[in-house]
Amino acid sequence: MTLGVSPAVDAADGKLIATAGLIQVEGSGGGGIVPWATLAGYDTQEQTSASAGVTQVNLRDYRLTTYAAAVSFYDRIEVGVAQQRFDLKSLGGEIKQDIFSAKYRVYGDVIYTSLPQISVGVQHKRLKDEAIANLLGASDTTGTDFFVAATKVHLGAIAGYNAIWNVTARATKANEMGLLGFGGADNDDYELMLEASVGMLLSRNIAVGMEYRTKPDNLGLGESHWRDYFISYIPTKQFNVTLAWADLGKIAGAPEQRGLYVSLSGQLW
């Protein structure tokens, strides 16, 4: 969700500050709701790094909390694990989902190559609480998403400020990221969904922007596309905080699911 650089930053201990982005709600490195081509840590080709984070999205009828950690190896491979806890505030109860992810940087660098950095990734999801997914007619309670992402930073592109964009294409069967299972009566095949992020670094440590994520409607419940508008503060490589206004539309038939997104994450080593 945030990415920006300052040429004056000392990169001796790894990449430039802010170039690792965040850990998104499914445990992959990148934005808030969208995985990016960036890896989760600040490691160079001779280093490894580990990052962790917690995110909460507090909506009108639901609350999503994600605990995640990721390890990045030699600026090439990222592996991550996350658990999502989806509280049904109006109905009572909780849905838990475990996610195991991996990402491989295929080409480029977000700053130093003329073409964008490109990565491919996978997110394998396993529902721990299957009752609601089965009740709604989901075909499966485990599923795997596949994605390819392209990310690029443009230094001084907008009135002297650094700009960032990302585009992700995801093949998925997931209903609400998998929290309501995978596939359904209306569709049980993989669909290609597009996701995007744009942002601008207002200073070395503060970024603003927005994200958009399209999603399939396999259950016939009118599943909505997602968007958020964010501000991120990245004082050091070891800590960052993001606030966003998230508009997730209709979830499980309940409309107007909007609310505050808060994320804390950072590099452990």
Side-chain angles (χ1 to χ4, degrees), residues 161-177:
Y161 295 107
N162 301 335
I164 169 69
W165 60 264
N166 174 85
V167 176
T168 299
R170 180 192 300 260
T172 183
K173 295 184 180 182
N175 309 317
E176 302 294 358
M177 291 190 299

Side-chain angles (χ1 to χ4, degrees), residues 56-65 85-95 132 136 176-177 179-180 221 224 226 246 248-261:
Q56 186 169 97
V57 189
N58 197 19
L59 307 171
R60 188 181 71 173
D61 297 304
Y62 308 103
R63 181 171 51 247
L64 173 66
T65 305
R85 301 181 181 181
F86 191 56
D87 294 322
L88 313 177
K89 295 194 298 185
S90 59
L91 301 175
E94 181 183 70
I95 300 172
I132 293 180
L136 293 175
E176 302 294 358
M177 291 190 299
L179 292 165
L180 301 183
L221 297 174
S224 299
W226 288 358
L248 307 189
K250 183 184 293 185
I251 297 178
E256 300 181 357
Q257 299 306 315
R258 308 182 184 100
L260 184 64
Y261 170 112

Side-chain angles (χ1 to χ4, degrees), residues 107-261:
Y107 169 83
D109 182 272
V110 294
I111 304 166
Y112 299 114
T113 56
S114 57
L115 295 177
Q117 181 169 318
I118 298 174
S119 297
V120 294
V122 59
Q123 295 173 339
H124 179 67
K125 305 175 179 182
R126 301 178 182 176
L127 268 180
K128 299 173 69 69
D129 304 282
E130 304 176 357
I132 293 180
N134 290 332
L135 180 65
L136 293 175
S139 300
D140 297 289
T141 54
T142 63
T144 303
D145 289 359
F146 304 91
F147 66 86
V148 58
T151 308
K152 183 62 180 155
V153 172
H154 300 275
L155 301 179
I158 303 175
Y161 295 107
N162 301 335
I164 169 69
W165 60 264
N166 174 85
V167 176
T168 299
R170 180 192 300 260
T172 183
K173 295 184 180 182
N175 309 317
E176 302 294 358
M177 291 190 299
L179 292 165
L180 301 183
F182 303 84
D186 283 15
N187 180 61
D188 196 28
D189 296 320
Y190 274 98
E191 290 189 72
L192 185 64
M193 297 287 110
L194 296 180
E195 307 169 9
S197 310
V198 293
M200 183 170 66
L201 197 71
L202 300 180
S203 71
R204 172 181 167 181
N205 306 107
I206 298 177
V208 297
M210 68 170 295
E211 298 187 296
Y212 189 80
R213 174 170 174 168
T214 64
K215 295 159 60 256
D217 187 21
N218 302 319
L219 300 175
L221 297 174
E223 185 165 336
S224 299
H225 303 323
W226 288 358
R227 61 180 58 84
D228 68 52
Y229 307 89
F230 67 84
I231 180 169
S232 295
Y233 176 53
I234 312 171
T236 71
K237 294 180 180 180
Q238 287 70 43
F239 175 75
N240 58 70
V241 58
T242 295
L243 299 177
W245 180 253
D247 183 354
L248 307 189
K250 183 184 293 185
I251 297 178
E256 300 181 357
Q257 299 306 315
R258 308 182 184 100
L260 184 64
Y261 170 112

